[in-house]
Amino acid sequence: AKPDPAIYRQAEQLFALDPSTTVFIDDLVANVDAARQRGWKAIHHFDYPSTLQDLRSLGVVDWAP
């Protein structure tokens, strides 16, 4: 279970994820840090506006609600 690095490796294998192009969002810092350690783009979710801004910064979304 998160934040054990094994769960992130398993997700990479199971879903053929490329860590450098994978975006992970979580509200727990430990989980976000673990994803970053695997090379994932990780966002610490506080609220909708900040998460949306982080997604925009990563180029994942380019629209406004």
Side-chain angles (χ1 to χ4, degrees):
K2 299 178 291 183
D4 185 333
I7 195 74
Y8 300 91
R9 280 192 303 275
Q10 185 176 16
E12 291 167 12
Q13 294 169 351
L14 184 62
F15 300 109
L17 300 177
D18 175 353
S20 68
T21 60
T22 300
V23 177
F24 177 79
I25 302 169
D26 202 293
D27 63 339
L28 298 177
V29 173
N31 296 340
V32 172
D33 289 345
R36 285 185 181 140
Q37 289 173 5
R38 293 287 311 158
W40 298 19
K41 308 291 188 244
I43 296 171
H44 183 200
H45 175 74
F46 294 103
D47 56 33
Y48 175 78
S50 66
T51 297
L52 181 59
Q53 181 57 44
D54 289 340
L55 289 168
R56 282 191 189 117
S57 295
L58 292 173
V60 175
V61 296
D62 62 359
W63 51 268

